[in-house]
Amino acid sequence: MASTIGRETLAVAATAVGLASIPATTAGYVHEVFITVEDAACRWDIAADPTASQGHLLAVGDSLTVKGDADIRSIKFIRSTGSSSSLEVSYYGEVAA
């Protein structure tokens, strides 16, 4: 069973960013991340870099669960308005020895 193995607060501004603090695990990958939007809307995408007008929209208070190492390492976020956003991210996986 996966345990919480890390967390971060991710700043999202006018340039697309990926998750910054993916922890090391015994299995070599994180199983799942849980993300909440704290203070301004943003957009996300896994297949391409999102823009302020393209990608999946997350509003303040929304949450997103991403599963699978490839998607977790590929996901990127960008602000969708003139205000930068902050995301709370929790990582789940096997604890590194």
Coordinates of all heavy atoms in Angstrom, one line a residue:
M1 N 0.8 -1.2 0.0 CA 0.0 0.0 0.0 C 0.9 1.2 0.0 O 1.9 1.3 0.7 CB -0.9 0.0 1.2 CG -1.8 1.2 1.3 SD -2.9 1.0 2.7 CE -4.3 1.9 2.0
A2 N 0.5 2.2 -0.8 CA 1.3 3.4 -0.9 C 1.1 4.3 0.3 O 0.0 4.4 0.9 CB 0.9 4.2 -2.1
S3 N 2.1 5.0 0.7 CA 2.1 5.9 1.8 C 2.4 7.3 1.3 O 3.0 7.5 0.3 CB 3.2 5.6 2.9 OG 2.9 4.3 3.4
T4 N 2.1 8.3 2.1 CA 2.5 9.7 1.8 C 4.0 9.8 1.9 O 4.5 9.5 3.0 CB 1.8 10.7 2.7 OG1 0.4 10.6 2.6 CG2 2.2 12.1 2.3
I5 N 4.7 10.2 0.9 CA 6.1 10.2 0.9 C 6.7 11.6 0.7 O 7.9 11.7 0.7 CB 6.7 9.2 -0.1 CG1 6.3 9.5 -1.5 CG2 6.4 7.7 0.3 CD1 7.0 8.7 -2.5
G6 N 5.9 12.5 0.5 CA 6.4 13.9 0.3 C 5.3 14.9 0.0 O 4.2 14.5 -0.3
R7 N 5.7 16.1 0.0 CA 4.7 17.2 -0.3 C 5.5 18.4 -0.8 O 6.7 18.5 -0.5 CB 3.8 17.5 0.8 CG 4.4 18.2 2.0 CD 3.4 18.7 3.0 NE 2.5 19.7 2.5 CZ 2.8 21.0 2.2 NH1 4.0 21.4 2.5 NH2 1.9 21.8 1.7
E8 N 4.8 19.3 -1.5 CA 5.5 20.5 -1.9 C 4.4 21.6 -2.2 O 3.2 21.2 -2.4 CB 6.3 20.4 -3.1 CG 5.6 20.2 -4.4 CD 6.4 20.2 -5.7 OE1 7.1 21.2 -5.9 OE2 6.5 19.2 -6.4
T9 N 4.8 22.8 -2.1 CA 3.9 23.9 -2.6 C 4.6 24.4 -3.9 O 5.7 24.7 -3.9 CB 3.9 25.1 -1.6 OG1 3.3 24.6 -0.4 CG2 3.0 26.2 -2.1
L10 N 3.8 24.3 -5.0 CA 4.3 24.6 -6.3 C 3.8 26.0 -6.8 O 2.6 26.2 -6.8 CB 3.9 23.5 -7.3 CG 4.4 23.7 -8.7 CD1 6.0 23.5 -8.8 CD2 3.8 22.6 -9.6
A11 N 4.7 26.9 -7.1 CA 4.3 28.2 -7.7 C 4.1 28.1 -9.2 O 4.9 27.5 -9.9 CB 5.4 29.2 -7.4
V12 N 3.0 28.6 -9.6 CA 2.6 28.5 -11.0 C 2.4 29.9 -11.6 O 1.6 30.6 -11.1 CB 1.3 27.7 -11.2 CG1 0.9 27.6 -12.7 CG2 1.4 26.3 -10.6
A13 N 3.3 30.2 -12.6 CA 3.3 31.6 -13.1 C 3.0 31.5 -14.6 O 2.3 30.6 -15.1 CB 4.6 32.3 -12.8
A14 N 3.6 32.4 -15.4 CA 3.3 32.6 -16.8 C 4.1 31.6 -17.7 O 3.9 31.6 -18.9 CB 3.7 34.0 -17.2
T15 N 5.0 30.8 -17.1 CA 5.7 29.8 -17.9 C 5.3 28.4 -17.3 O 5.3 28.2 -16.1 CB 7.2 30.0 -17.7 OG1 7.6 31.3 -18.2 CG2 8.0 28.9 -18.5
A16 N 5.0 27.5 -18.2 CA 4.6 26.1 -17.8 C 5.7 25.5 -16.9 O 6.9 25.5 -17.3 CB 4.3 25.3 -19.0
V17 N 5.2 24.9 -15.8 CA 6.2 24.2 -14.9 C 5.6 22.8 -14.6 O 4.4 22.6 -14.5 CB 6.4 25.0 -13.6 CG1 7.1 26.3 -13.9 CG2 5.1 25.2 -12.9
G18 N 6.6 21.9 -14.3 CA 6.2 20.6 -13.9 C 6.4 20.5 -12.4 O 6.8 21.4 -11.7
L19 N 6.1 19.3 -11.8 CA 6.3 19.1 -10.4 C 7.8 19.1 -10.1 O 8.6 18.5 -10.8 CB 5.7 17.7 -10.0 CG 4.1 17.6 -10.3 CD1 3.6 16.2 -10.0 CD2 3.4 18.6 -9.4
A20 N 8.1 19.8 -9.0 CA 9.5 20.1 -8.8 C 10.2 19.2 -7.8 O 11.4 19.1 -7.8 CB 9.6 21.6 -8.3
S21 N 9.5 18.6 -6.9 CA 10.1 17.8 -5.8 C 9.6 16.4 -5.8 O 9.2 15.9 -4.7 CB 9.8 18.5 -4.5 OG 10.3 19.8 -4.5
I22 N 9.7 15.7 -6.9 CA 9.2 14.3 -6.9 C 10.2 13.5 -6.1 O 11.4 13.4 -6.4 CB 9.2 13.7 -8.3 CG1 8.2 14.6 -9.2 CG2 8.8 12.3 -8.3 CD1 8.1 14.3 -10.6
P23 N 9.8 12.8 -5.0 CA 10.7 12.1 -4.1 C 11.2 10.8 -4.7 O 10.5 10.2 -5.5 CB 9.9 11.9 -2.8 CG 8.5 12.1 -3.2 CD 8.4 12.9 -4.5
A24 N 12.3 10.4 -4.2 CA 12.9 9.0 -4.5 C 12.1 8.0 -3.8 O 11.6 8.2 -2.6 CB 14.3 8.9 -4.1
T25 N 11.9 6.8 -4.4 CA 11.1 5.7 -3.8 C 11.8 4.4 -4.0 O 12.7 4.3 -4.9 CB 9.7 5.6 -4.4 OG1 9.8 5.2 -5.8 CG2 8.9 6.9 -4.4
T26 N 11.5 3.4 -3.2 CA 12.1 2.1 -3.4 C 11.7 1.5 -4.7 O 12.5 0.8 -5.3 CB 11.6 1.1 -2.2 OG1 10.2 1.1 -2.2 CG2 12.2 1.6 -0.9
A27 N 10.5 1.7 -5.2 CA 10.1 1.2 -6.5 C 10.7 2.0 -7.6 O 10.5 1.6 -8.8 CB 8.6 1.1 -6.5
G28 N 11.2 3.2 -7.4 CA 11.8 4.0 -8.4 C 10.8 5.0 -9.0 O 11.1 5.7 -9.9
Y29 N 9.6 5.0 -8.5 CA 8.6 5.9 -9.0 C 7.5 6.2 -8.0 O 7.3 5.4 -7.1 CB 7.9 5.4 -10.3 CG 7.2 4.1 -10.1 CD1 5.8 4.1 -9.8 CD2 7.8 2.9 -10.3 CE1 5.1 2.9 -9.7 CE2 7.1 1.7 -10.1 CZ 5.8 1.7 -9.8 OH 5.1 0.5 -9.7
V30 N 6.9 7.3 -8.2 CA 5.7 7.7 -7.3 C 4.5 7.1 -7.9 O 4.3 7.2 -9.1 CB 5.7 9.2 -7.2 CG1 4.4 9.7 -6.5 CG2 6.9 9.8 -6.6
H31 N 3.6 6.6 -7.1 CA 2.4 5.9 -7.6 C 1.3 7.0 -8.0 O 0.6 6.8 -8.9 CB 1.8 5.0 -6.6 CG 2.7 3.9 -6.2 ND1 3.0 2.8 -7.1 CD2 3.4 3.6 -5.1 CE1 3.8 2.0 -6.5 NE2 4.0 2.4 -5.3
E32 N 1.2 8.0 -7.2 CA 0.1 8.9 -7.3 C 0.4 10.3 -6.7 O 1.2 10.4 -5.7 CB -1.1 8.3 -6.5 CG -2.4 9.0 -6.5 CD -3.5 8.2 -5.8 OE1 -3.6 7.0 -6.1 OE2 -4.2 8.8 -5.0
V33 N -0.2 11.4 -7.2 CA -0.1 12.7 -6.6 C -1.5 13.2 -6.4 O -2.4 13.0 -7.2 CB 0.8 13.7 -7.3 CG1 2.2 13.3 -7.3 CG2 0.3 13.9 -8.7
F34 N -1.7 14.0 -5.3 CA -3.0 14.7 -5.1 C -2.6 16.1 -5.0 O -1.8 16.6 -4.3 CB -3.6 14.2 -3.8 CG -4.9 14.9 -3.5 CD1 -6.0 14.5 -4.2 CD2 -5.0 15.8 -2.5 CE1 -7.3 15.1 -3.9 CE2 -6.2 16.5 -2.2 CZ -7.3 16.1 -2.9
I35 N -3.3 16.9 -5.8 CA -3.0 18.4 -6.0 C -4.3 19.2 -5.7 O -5.4 18.9 -6.2 CB -2.6 18.6 -7.5 CG1 -1.3 17.8 -7.8 CG2 -2.3 20.1 -7.7 CD1 -1.0 17.7 -9.2
T36 N -4.1 20.3 -5.0 CA -5.2 21.2 -4.8 C -4.7 22.6 -5.2 O -3.6 23.0 -5.0 CB -5.7 21.3 -3.3 OG1 -4.6 21.6 -2.4 CG2 -6.3 20.0 -2.9
V37 N -5.7 23.4 -5.7 CA -5.4 24.8 -6.2 C -5.8 25.7 -5.1 O -6.9 25.7 -4.6 CB -6.3 25.1 -7.5 CG1 -6.0 26.5 -7.9 CG2 -6.0 24.1 -8.5
E38 N -4.8 26.5 -4.7 CA -5.0 27.4 -3.5 C -5.5 28.8 -3.7 O -6.4 29.2 -3.0 CB -3.7 27.4 -2.7 CG -3.1 26.1 -2.2 CD -4.1 25.4 -1.3 OE1 -4.5 26.1 -0.3 OE2 -4.5 24.3 -1.5
D39 N -5.0 29.5 -4.7 CA -5.3 30.9 -4.7 C -5.6 31.6 -6.1 O -5.9 32.7 -6.1 CB -4.3 31.7 -4.0 CG -2.9 31.4 -4.5 OD1 -2.7 30.8 -5.5 OD2 -2.0 31.9 -3.8
A40 N -5.4 30.9 -7.2 CA -5.8 31.4 -8.5 C -5.9 30.2 -9.5 O -5.2 29.2 -9.3 CB -4.7 32.4 -9.0
A41 N -6.7 30.4 -10.5 CA -7.0 29.3 -11.4 C -5.7 29.1 -12.3 O -4.9 29.9 -12.4 CB -8.1 29.7 -12.4
C42 N -5.6 27.8 -12.7 CA -4.5 27.5 -13.6 C -5.0 26.4 -14.6 O -6.1 25.9 -14.5 CB -3.3 27.0 -12.8 SG -3.6 25.4 -12.0
R43 N -4.1 26.1 -15.6 CA -4.4 25.1 -16.6 C -3.3 24.0 -16.5 O -2.2 24.3 -16.1 CB -4.5 25.6 -18.0 CG -5.7 26.5 -18.2 CD -5.9 26.9 -19.6 NE -7.0 27.8 -19.8 CZ -8.3 27.3 -20.0 NH1 -8.5 26.0 -20.1 NH2 -9.3 28.2 -20.2
W44 N -3.7 22.8 -16.9 CA -2.7 21.7 -16.9 C -2.8 20.9 -18.1 O -3.9 20.8 -18.7 CB -2.8 20.8 -15.6 CG -4.1 20.0 -15.5 CD1 -5.3 20.5 -15.0 CD2 -4.3 18.7 -16.0 NE1 -6.2 19.5 -15.1 CE2 -5.7 18.4 -15.7 CE3 -3.5 17.7 -16.6 CZ2 -6.2 17.1 -16.0 CZ3 -4.1 16.5 -16.9 CH2 -5.4 16.2 -16.6
D45 N -1.7 20.2 -18.5 CA -1.8 19.2 -19.5 C -0.6 18.2 -19.3 O 0.4 18.5 -18.7 CB -1.6 19.9 -20.9 CG -2.2 19.1 -22.1 OD1 -2.2 17.8 -22.0 OD2 -2.7 19.7 -23.0
I46 N -0.8 17.0 -19.9 CA 0.2 16.0 -19.8 C 0.8 15.8 -21.1 O 2.0 15.5 -21.2 CB -0.4 14.6 -19.3 CG1 -0.8 14.8 -17.8 CG2 0.5 13.5 -19.4 CD1 -1.6 13.7 -17.2
A47 N 0.1 15.9 -22.2 CA 0.6 15.6 -23.6 C 1.4 16.7 -24.2 O 2.2 16.5 -25.1 CB -0.6 15.2 -24.5
A48 N 1.1 18.0 -23.7 CA 1.8 19.1 -24.3 C 1.9 20.2 -23.2 O 1.2 20.1 -22.2 CB 1.0 19.6 -25.5
D49 N 2.7 21.2 -23.5 CA 2.7 22.3 -22.5 C 1.4 23.1 -22.6 O 1.0 23.5 -23.7 CB 3.9 23.3 -22.9 CG 5.2 22.7 -22.5 OD1 5.3 21.7 -21.8 OD2 6.2 23.4 -22.8
P50 N 0.8 23.4 -21.5 CA -0.4 24.2 -21.5 C -0.1 25.6 -21.7 O 1.0 26.1 -21.6 CB -1.0 24.0 -20.1 CG 0.2 23.7 -19.2 CD 1.2 22.9 -20.1
T51 N -1.1 26.4 -22.1 CA -1.0 27.8 -22.2 C -2.1 28.5 -21.4 O -2.9 27.7 -20.8 CB -1.2 28.3 -23.7 OG1 -2.5 28.1 -24.1 CG2 -0.2 27.6 -24.6
A52 N -2.1 29.8 -21.3 CA -3.1 30.4 -20.5 C -4.5 30.2 -21.0 O -5.5 30.3 -20.3 CB -2.8 31.9 -20.4
S53 N -4.7 29.8 -22.3 CA -6.0 29.5 -22.8 C -6.2 28.1 -23.3 O -7.3 27.8 -23.7 CB -6.2 30.5 -24.0 OG -5.2 30.2 -25.0
Q54 N -5.2 27.2 -23.2 CA -5.4 25.8 -23.6 C -4.9 24.9 -22.5 O -3.9 25.2 -21.9 CB -4.6 25.5 -24.9 CG -5.2 26.2 -26.1 CD -4.5 25.8 -27.4 OE1 -3.3 25.7 -27.4 NE2 -5.3 25.5 -28.4
G55 N -5.6 23.8 -22.4 CA -5.3 22.9 -21.3 C -6.5 22.7 -20.4 O -7.5 23.4 -20.6
H56 N -6.4 21.8 -19.5 CA -7.5 21.6 -18.6 C -7.6 22.6 -17.5 O -6.5 22.9 -16.8 CB -7.4 20.2 -18.0 CG -7.4 19.1 -19.0 ND1 -8.5 18.6 -19.6 CD2 -6.3 18.4 -19.5 CE1 -8.1 17.6 -20.5 NE2 -6.8 17.5 -20.4
L57 N -8.7 23.2 -17.3 CA -8.8 24.3 -16.3 C -9.0 23.8 -14.9 O -9.9 22.9 -14.7 CB -10.0 25.3 -16.7 CG -10.2 26.5 -15.8 CD1 -9.0 27.4 -15.9 CD2 -11.4 27.2 -16.3
L58 N -8.3 24.3 -13.9 CA -8.5 24.1 -12.5 C -8.8 25.4 -11.8 O -8.0 26.3 -11.9 CB -7.3 23.4 -11.9 CG -6.9 22.0 -12.2 CD1 -5.6 21.6 -11.6 CD2 -8.0 21.1 -11.7
A59 N -9.9 25.5 -11.1 CA -10.3 26.7 -10.4 C -9.8 26.6 -9.0 O -9.5 25.5 -8.5 CB -11.8 26.8 -10.4
V60 N -9.9 27.7 -8.3 CA -9.5 27.7 -6.9 C -10.4 26.7 -6.1 O -11.6 26.7 -6.3 CB -9.7 29.2 -6.3 CG1 -9.4 29.2 -4.8 CG2 -8.7 30.1 -7.0
G61 N -9.8 25.9 -5.3 CA -10.5 24.9 -4.5 C -10.6 23.6 -5.2 O -11.0 22.6 -4.6
D62 N -10.3 23.5 -6.5 CA -10.4 22.2 -7.2 C -9.2 21.3 -6.8 O -8.2 21.8 -6.4 CB -10.3 22.4 -8.8 CG -11.6 22.9 -9.4 OD1 -12.6 23.0 -8.7 OD2 -11.5 23.3 -10.6
S63 N -9.4 20.0 -7.0 CA -8.3 19.1 -6.8 C -8.2 18.2 -8.0 O -9.1 18.0 -8.8 CB -8.6 18.3 -5.5 OG -9.8 17.5 -5.7
L64 N -7.0 17.6 -8.1 CA -6.7 16.7 -9.2 C -5.8 15.5 -8.6 O -4.9 15.8 -7.9 CB -5.9 17.5 -10.2 CG -5.3 16.7 -11.4 CD1 -6.4 16.2 -12.3 CD2 -4.3 17.6 -12.2
T65 N -6.2 14.3 -9.0 CA -5.3 13.2 -8.7 C -4.7 12.7 -10.0 O -5.4 12.5 -11.0 CB -6.2 12.0 -8.1 OG1 -6.8 12.5 -6.9 CG2 -5.3 10.8 -7.7
V66 N -3.4 12.5 -10.0 CA -2.7 11.9 -11.2 C -2.0 10.6 -10.7 O -1.3 10.6 -9.7 CB -1.6 13.0 -11.7 CG1 -0.9 12.4 -12.9 CG2 -2.3 14.3 -11.9
K67 N -2.2 9.6 -11.5 CA -1.6 8.3 -11.2 C -0.7 7.9 -12.4 O -0.9 8.2 -13.5 CB -2.7 7.2 -11.1 CG -3.6 7.5 -9.9 CD -4.7 6.4 -9.8 CE -5.6 6.7 -8.6 NZ -6.6 5.7 -8.4
G68 N 0.4 7.2 -12.0 CA 1.3 6.7 -13.0 C 2.5 7.5 -13.1 O 2.4 8.8 -13.3
D69 N 3.7 6.9 -13.0 CA 5.0 7.6 -13.1 C 5.1 8.5 -14.3 O 5.5 9.7 -14.2 CB 6.1 6.6 -13.0 CG 7.4 7.3 -12.8 OD1 7.6 8.0 -11.8 OD2 8.3 7.2 -13.7
A70 N 4.8 8.0 -15.5 CA 5.0 8.8 -16.7 C 4.2 10.1 -16.7 O 4.7 11.2 -17.0 CB 4.7 7.9 -17.9
D71 N 2.9 10.0 -16.3 CA 2.0 11.1 -16.3 C 2.5 12.1 -15.2 O 2.4 13.3 -15.4 CB 0.6 10.7 -16.1 CG 0.0 10.1 -17.3 OD1 0.6 10.2 -18.4 OD2 -1.1 9.5 -17.2
I72 N 2.9 11.6 -14.0 CA 3.3 12.5 -12.9 C 4.6 13.3 -13.4 O 4.7 14.4 -13.1 CB 3.6 11.6 -11.7 CG1 2.3 11.1 -11.1 CG2 4.4 12.4 -10.6 CD1 2.4 10.0 -10.1
R73 N 5.5 12.6 -14.1 CA 6.7 13.3 -14.5 C 6.4 14.2 -15.7 O 7.2 15.1 -16.0 CB 7.8 12.3 -14.8 CG 8.2 11.6 -13.6 CD 9.4 10.6 -13.8 NE 9.7 9.9 -12.6 CZ 10.4 10.4 -11.5 NH1 10.8 11.6 -11.6 NH2 10.6 9.7 -10.5
S74 N 5.3 14.0 -16.5 CA 5.0 14.8 -17.7 C 4.1 16.0 -17.4 O 4.1 16.9 -18.2 CB 4.4 13.9 -18.7 OG 5.3 12.9 -19.1
I75 N 3.3 16.0 -16.4 CA 2.3 17.0 -16.2 C 2.9 18.4 -16.0 O 4.0 18.5 -15.3 CB 1.3 16.6 -15.0 CG1 0.1 17.5 -15.1 CG2 2.1 16.7 -13.7 CD1 -1.0 17.1 -14.1
K76 N 2.3 19.4 -16.6 CA 2.8 20.7 -16.4 C 1.6 21.6 -16.2 O 0.5 21.4 -16.6 CB 3.5 21.2 -17.7 CG 4.9 20.5 -17.8 CD 5.7 21.2 -18.9 CE 7.1 20.5 -18.9 NZ 7.9 21.1 -20.0
F77 N 1.9 22.8 -15.5 CA 0.8 23.7 -15.1 C 1.3 25.1 -15.6 O 2.4 25.4 -15.6 CB 0.7 23.7 -13.6 CG 0.3 22.4 -13.0 CD1 1.3 21.5 -12.7 CD2 -1.0 22.0 -12.8 CE1 1.0 20.2 -12.2 CE2 -1.3 20.8 -12.3 CZ -0.3 19.9 -12.0
I78 N 0.3 26.0 -15.8 CA 0.5 27.4 -16.1 C -0.7 28.2 -15.6 O -1.8 27.7 -15.5 CB 0.7 27.6 -17.6 CG1 1.3 29.0 -17.9 CG2 -0.6 27.4 -18.4 CD1 1.8 29.1 -19.4
R79 N -0.4 29.4 -15.2 CA -1.6 30.3 -14.7 C -2.5 30.6 -15.9 O -2.1 30.6 -17.0 CB -1.1 31.5 -14.0 CG -0.5 32.5 -15.0 CD 0.1 33.7 -14.2 NE 0.6 34.7 -15.1 CZ 1.4 35.7 -14.8 NH1 1.8 35.8 -13.5 NH2 1.7 36.6 -15.7
S80 N -3.8 30.7 -15.6 CA -4.7 31.0 -16.6 C -5.3 32.4 -16.6 O -6.0 32.8 -17.5 CB -5.9 30.0 -16.5 OG -6.6 30.2 -15.3
T81 N -4.8 33.2 -15.6 CA -5.2 34.6 -15.5 C -3.9 35.4 -15.3 O -2.8 34.9 -15.4 CB -6.2 34.9 -14.4 OG1 -5.5 34.6 -13.1 CG2 -7.4 34.0 -14.5
G82 N -4.0 36.7 -15.0 CA -2.9 37.5 -14.7 C -2.3 37.2 -13.3 O -1.2 37.7 -13.0
S83 N -2.9 36.4 -12.5 CA -2.5 36.1 -11.2 C -1.8 34.8 -11.1 O -2.3 33.8 -11.6 CB -3.6 36.1 -10.2 OG -4.2 37.4 -10.1
S84 N -0.6 34.7 -10.5 CA 0.0 33.4 -10.3 C -0.7 32.6 -9.3 O -1.5 33.1 -8.5 CB 1.5 33.6 -9.8 OG 2.2 34.3 -10.8
S85 N -0.6 31.3 -9.5 CA -1.3 30.3 -8.6 C -0.3 29.6 -7.8 O 0.9 29.5 -8.0 CB -2.0 29.3 -9.6 OG -2.7 28.4 -8.8
S86 N -0.9 28.9 -6.7 CA -0.1 28.1 -5.9 C -0.8 26.8 -5.7 O -2.0 26.8 -5.5 CB 0.2 28.8 -4.6 OG 0.0 28.1 -3.5
L87 N -0.1 25.7 -5.9 CA -0.6 24.3 -5.8 C 0.0 23.6 -4.6 O 1.2 23.7 -4.3 CB -0.4 23.5 -7.0 CG -0.8 24.1 -8.4 CD1 -0.3 23.2 -9.5 CD2 -2.2 24.4 -8.4
E88 N -0.9 22.9 -3.8 CA -0.4 22.0 -2.8 C -0.4 20.6 -3.3 O -1.4 20.2 -3.9 CB -1.3 22.1 -1.5 CG -1.2 23.4 -0.8 CD 0.2 23.7 -0.2 OE1 0.9 22.7 0.3 OE2 0.6 24.8 -0.3
V89 N 0.8 20.0 -3.2 CA 1.0 18.6 -3.9 C 1.4 17.6 -2.8 O 2.3 17.9 -2.1 CB 2.1 18.7 -5.0 CG1 2.3 17.4 -5.6 CG2 1.8 19.8 -6.0
S90 N 0.7 16.5 -2.8 CA 1.1 15.4 -1.9 C 1.5 14.2 -2.8 O 0.7 13.9 -3.7 CB -0.1 15.0 -1.0 OG -0.3 16.0 -0.1
Y91 N 2.6 13.6 -2.5 CA 3.1 12.4 -3.2 C 2.9 11.1 -2.5 O 3.0 11.1 -1.3 CB 4.6 12.6 -3.4 CG 5.0 13.7 -4.3 CD1 5.3 15.0 -3.8 CD2 5.0 13.6 -5.7 CE1 5.7 16.0 -4.6 CE2 5.4 14.7 -6.5 CZ 5.7 15.9 -5.9 OH 6.1 16.9 -6.7
Y92 N 2.5 10.1 -3.2 CA 2.2 8.8 -2.6 C 3.0 7.7 -3.3 O 3.1 7.7 -4.5 CB 0.7 8.4 -2.7 CG -0.1 9.4 -1.9 CD1 -0.6 10.5 -2.6 CD2 -0.4 9.2 -0.6 CE1 -1.4 11.4 -1.9 CE2 -1.2 10.1 0.1 CZ -1.7 11.2 -0.6 OH -2.4 12.2 0.1
G93 N 3.6 6.8 -2.5 CA 4.5 5.7 -3.1 C 5.0 4.9 -2.0 O 4.6 4.9 -0.9
E94 N 6.1 4.1 -2.4 CA 6.8 3.3 -1.4 C 7.9 4.1 -0.8 O 8.6 4.8 -1.6 CB 7.3 2.0 -2.1 CG 6.3 1.3 -2.8 CD 5.2 0.8 -2.0 OE1 5.4 0.4 -0.8 OE2 4.0 0.8 -2.4
V95 N 8.2 4.0 0.5 CA 9.2 4.8 1.1 C 10.6 4.2 0.7 O 10.8 3.0 0.7 CB 9.0 4.7 2.7 CG1 10.1 5.5 3.4 CG2 7.7 5.3 3.0
A96 N 11.5 5.1 0.3 CA 12.8 4.7 -0.1 C 13.6 4.3 1.2 O 13.5 4.8 2.3 CB 13.6 5.9 -0.7
A97 N 14.4 3.2 1.0 CA 15.2 2.7 2.1 C 16.5 3.4 2.3 O 17.0 4.1 1.4 CB 15.5 1.2 1.8

